[in-house]
Structures are given as C-alpha cells and as structure tokens.
Amino acid sequence: MITGKQRAQLKRLSHGMKPLMQIGKNGITPGVIEQIDQLLEDHELVKIALLQNTAVDLNEAAATLTEALNAEFVQGIGSKLTLYRPAKEDPVIVLE
C-alpha cells in the first residue's frame, strides 16, 4: 500500500505521460491483462486510456486491473487511469 505522499510523487512522475495501452470495445480481457502486466514490469508506472466504445467505466477498470495485477491505483482523470507496480528485478522508481 502506498502513502499519500508516494501517490503524489507518482502523480508528478505520470504528468505528461502518454497512455501506453488502450482498452476498447472488448474490455478487459486476459490478453489485455497480460500486456499491462508486461508494461508494468518494464515501466513500473503505466497510463491506460479507456476508449469511448469500451464497456467498462474508469472505477470498474481500476478495481479489476489493480486486483488482477497486484498493482496500485495512482489516479484516474477523465478516461485515463494510472497504475503503479515496482518491477520484480531492478526497480527504477524509488518512492520517498
């Protein structure tokens, strides 16, 4: 579990990031979860865009993904959400 101070640090780091993944009309499939899992391992901090035609809303997507990926929800703004999970090997982001 991350603290409020750590969440603020992650928000600062994610500001200006482009979404690395988009979730479309098929919603959150096992393939999507697998791709985001790899992105989290590679980048630790991942911004995801929910397209207009997706069947899931932001809160539902955040809950599903954080549980499936053992990740932390950083923030959700509009149709974008940001997740964080430290890399198993050689984490790059050091939380204060």
Side-chain angles (χ1 to χ4, degrees):
M1 195 69 173
I2 58 176
T3 66
K5 184 177 179 182
Q6 291 169 332
R7 187 176 315 279
Q9 177 188 359
L10 292 169
K11 285 179 181 180
R12 284 192 303 275
L13 289 172
S14 71
H15 183 74
M17 278 177 57
K18 299 246 185 280
L20 296 176
M21 181 78 187
Q22 294 180 333
I23 297 176
K25 66 179 179 181
N26 294 330
I28 300 171
T29 63
V32 166
I33 290 173
E34 196 175 300
Q35 285 181 306
I36 296 172
D37 184 52
Q38 188 58 53
L39 287 170
L40 283 166
E41 190 58 35
D42 294 344
H43 301 278
E44 297 180 303
L45 192 62
V46 175
K47 193 175 279 190
I48 301 161
L50 300 176
L51 301 179
Q52 286 183 338
N53 62 351
T54 189
V56 295
D57 69 8
L58 188 75
N59 294 331
E60 184 182 349
T64 302
L65 292 172
T66 54
E67 186 176 329
L69 297 164
N70 195 27
E72 293 284 345
F73 176 73
V74 177
Q75 71 178 349
I77 298 175
S79 62
K80 294 179 181 70
L81 66 113
T82 306
L83 300 177
Y84 166 75
R85 186 183 72 198
K88 291 177 183 78
E89 295 180 22
D90 303 321
V92 176
I93 298 173
V94 178
L95 295 177
E96 296 171 359

